[in-house]
Amino acid sequence: MDNNSNRRTFLGVCLGGLGAIAAAAVSWPLFRYLAPHSGGDAAGKVVIPEKDVPEGEAKFFEFAGSSAVLVRKRGGDLVAFSAVCTHLGCIVQWEKDKQDFLCPCHGGHYSADGAVTAGPPPKPLKRLTFAVAGGNITVG
Ligand code: FES
C-alpha cells in the first residue's frame, strides 16, 4: 500500500466519524423535541403563578411525566391540556397569532379549546383539571 492510499483511507475514516458525530448532534435534539417526555412526578400537582399566563399566551410545563400547557384565551378564560398530540404523540406548539395549536409532526391543528380543526389527530387534546386561588393556578 502506498502513502496516498493510506492517506485516503485515514481521511475516509476521519470524515466518516465526523459525519456520524454531526448526524447524532443534529438528530438527538430533534428527537428530544418531538418525543413526549417520560418519567417525572406522576402524582404531583403543578403550581403556576397566574401572571405567567397572560391573555392570548400559553405556558408549557411538565405534568405527570409528560408535557402540558395552560392557555389564557383572549377574553381571559383559562384552559389546561396535555400537550401530547392525539395522533402519534408529538408535542403541540401554541400559535399565538392564530390562537391555536399546531402539531409539527403531521400538521394537525387544534383550537384554543383543544378541539381538532385540521389534520390527522383523531381526538381533541386531553383536558386537565385545575384550580385558581391566591394568584396561583394549580393543575392536577
Ligand atoms: S403526531 Fe400530531 S399530527 Fe401526527
Side-chain angles (χ1 to χ4, degrees), residues 10-54:
F10 176 73
L11 285 173
V13 168
C14 288
L15 288 174
L18 285 174
I21 291 170
V26 168
S27 59
W28 179 248
L30 182 64
F31 171 77
R32 292 293 303 151
Y33 174 74
L34 294 175
H37 301 275
S38 61
D41 183 8
K45 296 178 183 287
V46 174
V47 178
I48 295 171
E50 269 197 281
K51 65 176 175 46
D52 287 2
V53 194

Side-chain angles (χ1 to χ4, degrees), residues 4 13 17 28 36 39-40 42 49-50 52 66-69 72 79 82 93 98 103 112 115 126 129 132:
N4 279 342
V13 168
W28 179 248
E50 269 197 281
D52 287 2
S66 190
S67 291
V69 61
R72 187 180 301 278
V79 283
S82 163
Q93 301 170 347
K98 297 177 183 169
C103 178
K126 181 183 172 202
T129 59
V132 181

Side-chain angles (χ1 to χ4, degrees), residues 69-123:
V69 61
L70 264 169
V71 174
R72 187 180 301 278
K73 298 188 293 184
R74 290 186 178 143
D77 288 343
L78 272 170
V79 283
F81 303 104
S82 163
V84 178
C85 179
T86 59
H87 180 223
L88 293 178
C90 292
I91 304 303
V92 298
Q93 301 170 347
W94 176 244
E95 297 187 303
K96 182 182 174 186
D97 55 331
K98 297 177 183 169
Q99 293 289 292
D100 76 357
F101 292 99
L102 164 68
C103 178
C105 290
H106 310 103
H109 280 266
Y110 300 88
S111 71
D113 289 317
V116 178
T117 56
K123 296 185 295 190

